[in-house]
Amino acid sequence: MTEYFREEKIRFKYFPAFYLTRILFTALVFILGQMQWAVMAIAASLSYGFRYDTEAEHFIPLSVDEMIKRRRTRLWMIWLRYAVLGLASLLLHYLMMQNGIYTFDSEFSILLRHPAAAGAFFILQMAFVYSNLLSSSIRQINPVKKRLPLRMQIFDYVFRLLPNIVFFAYGIGLHHRFIENEPVWIHCCIILTAAVLLIIYNFVTSKTSGLADYTPDTVKKGA
């Protein structure tokens, strides 16, 4: 955790524009309420940032597990920030609508009409955010893209792609009375099933990803 705050301090010191992006992101999440999923879907792909993997880092007396733990800590801290902001936004919109105050969700809000569905979708949303952050982390750990064996392709399709389809389908559909077409409990089951599949994917991917050996630039270029 200390390493995460140290890296954040350096980023804000040399790139003050990050203050603006953080403020903009926070404002959008609170303004959009239930529609926050669209902002998070985009921002989650960018929030992990780029962590330089230098030769000096490999001289530090840290084990591979310790280096991976540093990266995972950054992932969890970013995810926690998303979760806290997202919950605070939904709670604020719910309380405002309960008191008759207009919000972006007021015309048709599943927060008021179907709070269970809203809660289920938020769980899927946060699983999706974690998946994107994890993907960004792994691309930096193992930058060389390898073709997956057939069984892993099937696993990726069932546990990642299908939940992603459900996420975007419900994210768009929830604001067009899509959930009124069937009993709410059916939609909740579909959303939660997708969330469970994506959580399993995140767990397995996190456990099976490693840290590639450091290769100097001269070797990469064939020198």
Side-chain angles (χ1 to χ4, degrees):
M1 186 178 296
T2 303
E3 178 68 13
Y4 167 76
F5 286 112
R6 184 186 70 82
E7 291 179 354
E8 287 294 282
K9 183 178 179 180
I10 293 173
R11 283 181 172 86
F12 282 111
K13 179 179 179 180
Y14 292 101
F15 301 97
F18 284 155
Y19 284 108
L20 179 61
T21 58
R22 289 285 174 86
I23 293 173
L24 178 61
F25 173 76
T26 302
L28 286 174
V29 169
F30 274 94
I31 291 172
L32 295 178
Q34 188 66 47
M35 280 291 291
Q36 63 178 256
W37 70 267
V39 179
M40 290 195 177
I42 297 172
S45 300
L46 307 171
S47 291
Y48 186 85
F50 185 79
R51 191 179 189 282
Y52 291 102
D53 187 29
T54 64
E55 188 171 9
E57 180 183 32
H58 289 259
F59 282 124
I60 300 175
L62 295 175
S63 67
V64 171
D65 289 339
E66 288 173 323
M67 286 190 283
I68 292 177
K69 184 178 179 181
R70 281 189 175 189
R71 296 166 186 266
R72 292 292 187 264
T73 298
R74 174 169 181 74
L75 188 160
W76 275 105
M77 292 298 291
I78 297 172
W79 182 88
L80 182 62
R81 184 172 76 237
Y82 274 64
V84 171
L85 289 176
L87 280 174
S89 173
L90 293 179
L91 179 60
L92 178 62
H93 277 244
Y94 180 80
L95 293 176
M96 289 174 67
M97 287 184 290
Q98 284 279 58
N99 290 278
I101 302 174
Y102 177 82
T103 73
F104 193 81
D105 292 319
S106 294
E107 184 177 353
F108 174 70
S109 174
I110 63 169
L111 281 174
L112 286 177
R113 296 167 64 89
H114 308 294
F121 183 76
F122 183 76
I123 293 173
L124 176 58
Q125 172 183 307
M126 295 317 301
F128 178 85
V129 168
Y130 187 91
S131 178
N132 273 19
L133 292 171
L134 180 62
S135 178
S136 297
S137 170
I138 291 175
R139 280 199 300 270
Q140 292 188 32
I141 293 175
N142 291 308
V144 180
K145 187 176 181 180
K146 300 178 180 178
R147 181 176 177 82
L148 296 175
L150 180 60
R151 62 183 181 84
M152 292 305 297
Q153 291 182 40
I154 295 174
F155 173 82
D156 184 77
Y157 177 81
V158 174
F159 288 86
R160 184 188 65 85
L161 184 58
L162 287 181
N164 284 357
I165 293 173
V166 172
F167 172 70
F168 283 104
Y170 273 91
I172 297 172
L174 288 177
H175 304 280
H176 295 85
R177 299 183 181 273
F178 173 68
I179 203 169
E180 300 292 335
N181 296 332
E182 301 290 344
V184 176
W185 68 268
I186 295 179
H187 292 287
C188 288
C189 288
I190 294 173
I191 295 171
L192 289 176
T193 298
V196 170
L197 291 175
L198 194 52
I199 290 172
I200 293 174
Y201 172 83
N202 292 338
F203 178 80
V204 172
T205 304
S206 180
K207 288 295 184 181
T208 55
S209 62
L211 185 66
D213 291 334
Y214 175 77
T215 304
D217 286 338
T218 53
V219 175
K220 294 176 184 177
K221 296 176 182 178

